[in-house]
């Protein structure tokens, strides 16, 4: 919207389908919301009780600028225990969510006009986050025929003298793809060859169903050029707590601490206390969450396989299915509009996640199997899928 009192940077900004979906949640009383990745599960009661007790005991103040020391130590222990990665205390900073972490990182590393490569379909905020940090987005398209893996030959052709970084998101939102070990190794080779920074958006690490998650920072020679963004939102169903973190070389951490002093100062203290208990109890808490979503993924996959004009790759990771609807002859937006109007199901069109997402819709499996059954029963009756 153009207005003399608004920054010209925002005159042409548009609301995304993800943002617009929030306005539609009350459209119908029987609406089934499969649009946003906000889990229906509630944060484990043990985490809530422990954080509440800590708040009553006085953990209601600013924390250290790097984050609660106890939480940082738990993050150190987590990377050592689960991935045999050794980090020091000055290589970790706690942030107010993974999105906040991404903005801090981009702000710290980009000069005006620096290029950041993103693989599409991708998490919708990436391009604008890059632009806010005065960078330039370069798109690498991925395709269902290649299981949405990064094609390193096409990647290499996009690299210029201004290429600074590559954002890697696996397990992926929205496609659910988990990059293979070969893909991770190939990306690492390119990063070292061209002296690039890898920003690893590791938000869905628990949701890798067929193969264990491999941090790209664990590849030989990658730790010093990888910035890892973590979050408690999905792995521990803690979206509302707004707590994430950055793991990176100490000079990057020092820089984002200084930037953050002029932004939100510190992440919420009570949320940081909750994150401590989430990590300490991660195996018993996370296992239940992952198994629940795995059941939903495979249930939905089987239902989609039996619906004409719908198809999807078998579940690999994340909490999403990226569904091919090209046989309907309609656009992604048209299909989502019909789902809403005729079946009272809210989903996101694939082109929200990049132009190569056209012909797909994303289903966030954030409701129970009972509700998913109702949703797919409604879909089966729609003319466009028959």
């Amino acid at each position: 919207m153009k207005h003399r009192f608004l920054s010209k940077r925002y005159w042409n900004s548009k609301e995304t389908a993800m943002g617009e979906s929030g306005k539609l949640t009350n459209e119908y009383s029987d609406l089934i919301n499969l649009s946003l990745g906000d889990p229906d599960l509630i944060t484990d009661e043990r985490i809530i009780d422990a954080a509440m007790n800590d708040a009553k005991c006085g953990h209601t103040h600013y924390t250290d600028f790097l984050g609660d020391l106890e939480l940082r130590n738990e993050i150190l222990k987590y990377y050592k225990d689960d991935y045999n990665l050794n980090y020091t205390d000055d290589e970790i900073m706690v942030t107010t969510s993974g999105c906040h972490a991404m903005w801090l990182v981009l702000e710290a590393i980009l000069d005006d006009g620096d290029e950041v490569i993103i693989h599409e379909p991708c998490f919708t905020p990436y391009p604008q986050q890059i632009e806010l940090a005065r960078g330039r987005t370069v798109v690498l398209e991925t395709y269902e025929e290649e299981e949405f893996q990064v094609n390193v030959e096409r990647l290499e052709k996009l690299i210029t003298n201004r290429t600074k970084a590559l954002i890697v998101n696996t397990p992926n939102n929205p496609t659910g793809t988990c990059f293979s070990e070969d893909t991770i190794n190939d990306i690492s080779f390119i990063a070292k060859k061209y002296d690039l920074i890898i920003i690893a958006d590791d938000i869905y690490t628990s949701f890798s169903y067929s193969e264990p998650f491999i941090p790209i920072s664990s590849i030989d020679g990658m730790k010093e050029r990888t910035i890892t963004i973590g979050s408690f939102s999905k792995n521990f169903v803690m979206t509302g707590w707004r707590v994430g973190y950055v793991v990176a070389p100490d000079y990057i951490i020092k820089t984002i601490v200084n930037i953050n002093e002029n932004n939100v100062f510190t992440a919420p203290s009570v949320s940081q206390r909750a994150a401590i208990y989430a990590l300490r109890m991660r195996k018993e808490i996370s296992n239940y969450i992952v198994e629940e979503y795995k059941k939903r993924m495979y249930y939905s996959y089987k239902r989609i396989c039996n619906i004409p004009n719908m198809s999807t790759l078998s579940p690999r990771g994340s909490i999403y299915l990226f569904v091919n609807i090209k046989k309907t002859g309609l656009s992604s937006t048209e299909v989502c509009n019909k789902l809403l109007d005729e079946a009272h199901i809210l989903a996101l069109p694939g082109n929200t996640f990049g132009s190569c997402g056209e012909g797909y819709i994303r289903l966030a499996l954030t409701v129970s199997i009972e509700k998913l059954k109702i949703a797919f029963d409604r879909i089966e009756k729609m003319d466009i899928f028959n």
Side-chain angles (χ1 to χ4, degrees):
M1 178 177 66
K2 182 178 179 179
H3 192 283
R4 70 186 189 281
F5 292 155
L6 287 176
S7 166
K8 293 182 179 63
R9 287 178 296 168
Y10 295 99
W11 280 7
N12 294 320
S13 65
K14 296 179 181 179
E15 190 170 23
T16 66
M18 188 175 293
E20 290 173 351
S21 68
K23 302 174 184 177
L24 301 173
T25 54
N26 297 316
E27 191 81 4
Y28 301 101
S29 60
D30 62 345
L31 182 130
I32 298 177
N33 188 356
L34 305 180
S35 64
L36 297 183
D38 190 1
D40 58 327
L41 304 175
I42 297 172
T43 305
D44 191 282
E45 188 174 353
R46 290 165 290 182
I47 295 175
I48 298 172
D49 289 344
M52 184 183 301
N53 184 64
D54 280 359
K56 290 179 178 178
C57 290
H59 286 279
T60 57
H61 303 277
Y62 294 130
T63 66
D64 185 290
F65 290 179
L66 286 167
D68 187 302
L69 178 59
E70 207 172 337
L71 174 55
R72 281 158 30 220
N73 285 334
E74 285 298 326
I75 296 171
L76 287 172
K77 188 174 185 300
Y78 159 65
Y79 276 97
K80 176 61 178 175
D81 291 350
D82 286 29
Y83 304 116
N84 198 30
L85 281 167
N86 294 298
Y87 290 100
T88 58
D89 180 59
D90 56 359
E91 293 178 307
I92 295 171
M93 177 184 167
V94 181
T95 62
T96 311
S97 79
C99 279
H100 178 228
M102 179 64 78
W103 175 77
L104 286 172
V105 166
L106 293 169
E107 185 71 16
I109 69 172
L110 296 184
D111 289 312
D112 291 15
D114 277 351
E115 295 172 355
V116 180
I117 298 174
I118 59 174
H119 52 88
E120 287 188 349
C122 71
F123 183 48
T124 56
Y126 289 162
Q128 190 158 343
Q129 286 179 321
I130 292 166
E131 290 171 16
L132 283 172
R134 300 165 305 283
R136 178 175 172 269
T137 301
V138 177
V139 171
L140 171 66
E141 294 188 340
T142 64
Y143 304 106
E144 182 178 8
E145 296 76 19
E146 300 172 345
E147 296 189 335
F148 297 108
Q149 298 282 327
V150 164
N151 181 300
V152 290
E153 291 179 1
R154 292 200 299 270
L155 168 62
E156 191 166 17
K157 290 177 181 177
L158 295 176
I159 295 171
T160 72
N161 290 334
R162 293 306 305 270
T163 307
K164 188 69 165 286
L166 167 66
I167 296 176
V168 174
N169 176 222
T170 177
N172 181 257
N173 173 15
T175 66
T177 287
C178 296
F179 289 163
S180 67
E181 188 172 355
D182 285 344
T183 297
I184 293 294
N185 283 323
D186 287 344
I187 292 172
S188 300
F189 174 80
I190 294 295
K192 287 181 281 190
K193 180 178 178 180
Y194 292 97
D195 196 24
L196 303 180
I197 299 169
I198 296 295
I199 304 173
D201 193 6
D202 290 355
I203 304 301
Y204 298 92
T205 54
S206 294
F207 301 95
S208 184
Y209 302 123
S210 56
E211 300 289 339
F213 170 74
I214 302 172
I216 196 166
S217 55
S218 67
I219 304 300
D220 186 47
M222 289 302 295
K223 184 170 174 280
E224 58 266 31
R225 65 174 64 254
T226 300
I227 301 171
T228 299
I229 291 173
S231 171
F232 292 83
S233 290
K234 306 304 164 65
N235 287 351
F236 299 101
V237 294
M238 291 173 63
T239 53
W241 297 82
R242 310 315 294 143
V243 59
Y245 59 86
V246 178
V247 180
D250 58 1
Y251 64 91
I252 290 176
I253 297 297
K254 287 177 183 176
T255 303
I256 64 175
V257 167
N258 291 336
I259 295 169
N260 197 47
E261 186 178 343
N262 303 295
N263 187 242
V264 298
F265 216 56
T266 69
S269 57
V270 177
S271 296
Q272 293 191 57
R273 299 305 297 178
I276 292 170
Y277 300 109
L279 279 179
R280 286 179 182 167
M281 296 185 286
R282 64 184 176 277
K283 297 196 185 299
E284 49 192 300
I285 290 174
S286 188
N287 285 346
Y288 164 74
I289 297 168
V290 172
E291 283 305 309
E292 175 61 25
Y293 275 100
K294 192 173 181 180
K295 290 175 187 175
R296 297 178 186 187
M297 293 283 279
Y298 279 96
Y299 172 80
S300 300
Y301 171 68
K302 289 176 182 176
R303 291 296 303 266
I304 289 168
C305 286
N306 291 315
I307 298 175
N309 297 341
M310 261 191 171
S311 65
T312 189
L313 295 174
S314 61
R316 292 143 295 148
S318 82
I319 59 175
Y320 310 105
L321 286 178
F322 206 54
V323 182
N324 187 321
I325 45 82
K326 293 177 182 178
K327 288 184 178 179
T328 65
L330 302 177
S331 70
S332 298
T333 300
E334 289 170 333
V335 168
C336 283
N337 288 340
K338 283 187 171 291
L339 280 170
L340 180 61
D341 294 338
E342 298 177 18
H344 299 179
I345 294 168
L346 188 57
L348 292 183
N351 56 13
T352 296
F353 307 96
S355 59
C356 63
E358 180 55 68
Y360 298 84
I361 61 172
R362 191 195 75 172
L363 302 181
L365 304 183
T366 52
V367 301
S368 66
I369 287 181
E370 289 73 23
K371 282 192 175 181
L372 288 171
K373 181 182 185 303
I374 295 171
F376 285 110
D377 286 348
R378 293 178 187 175
I379 289 171
E380 283 181 336
K381 296 175 183 177
M382 294 176 65
D383 290 340
I384 61 171
F385 295 119
N386 290 285

